[in-house]
């Protein structure tokens, strides 16, 4: 298996491209630097291909890939619409998406929005992630990595979330 095939298969099996080299190394029982050497040499040992085959036949794996991100609206008790993004694979978390004005403050229709406590992550000049609920434990130092991945997922969804937030 060459490096490109290895990367494609590993990301498909892990169902995420975030930190895939380290994660696949741990699952394979090797050091991350070993995975980097395989990629640089463009040659992966045959036992890795056999291990991937074993994993794809495992009963605990679904026969189809599961989604990683969920983006959607919720209605608060007072009838206000709010937008969220949820990471559906470990580490699972939910974050509120808040549109901001030119000063970086929540738009009036977003209030109340807790942008002062807990982790608040700036997606871009017009958008914050806040009110983040971590369902699974996150390794020390990896919170920013997962929030950056959430920002990437929001960008991949396009600007429709911003338009929908401004229209409500």
């Amino acid at each position: 298996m060459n490096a490109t095939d290895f990367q494609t298969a590993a990301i498909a099996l892990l169902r995420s491209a975030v930190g895939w080299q380290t994660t696949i190394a741990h699952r394979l029982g090797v050091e991350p630097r070993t995975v980097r050497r395989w990629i640089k040499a463009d040659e992966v040992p045959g036992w890795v291909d056999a291990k991937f085959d074993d994993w794809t036949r495992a009963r605990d794996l679904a026969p189809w890939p599961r989604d990683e991100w969920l983006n959607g609206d919720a209605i608060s008790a007072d009838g206000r619409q709010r937008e969220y993004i949820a990471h559906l694979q470990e580490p699972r978390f939910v974050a509120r998406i808040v549109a901001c004005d030119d000063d970086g403050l929540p738009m009036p229709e977003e209030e109340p929005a807790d942008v002062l406590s807990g982790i608040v992550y700036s997606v871009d000049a017009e958008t914050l992630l806040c009110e983040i609920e971590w369902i699974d434990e996150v390794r020390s130092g990896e919170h920013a990595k997962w929030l950056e991945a959430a920002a990437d997922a929001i960008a991949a969804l396009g600007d429709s979330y911003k338009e929908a937030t401004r229209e409500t």
Side-chain angles (χ1 to χ4, degrees), residues 143-162:
H143 289 87
K145 173 179 87 170
W146 289 106
L147 294 173
E148 179 64 27
D152 292 344
I154 291 168
L157 293 167
D159 290 338
S160 62
Y161 75 95
K162 291 179 187 174

Side-chain angles (χ1 to χ4, degrees), residues 117-151:
S117 65
I119 297 173
V120 178
Y121 186 85
S122 178
V123 173
D124 57 33
E126 302 171 331
T127 314
L128 294 175
L129 294 179
C130 63
E131 302 171 16
I132 302 165
E133 293 290 331
W134 299 94
I135 300 164
D136 296 317
E137 189 173 327
V138 180
R139 287 188 211 152
S140 179
E142 290 194 354
H143 289 87
K145 173 179 87 170
W146 289 106
L147 294 173
E148 179 64 27

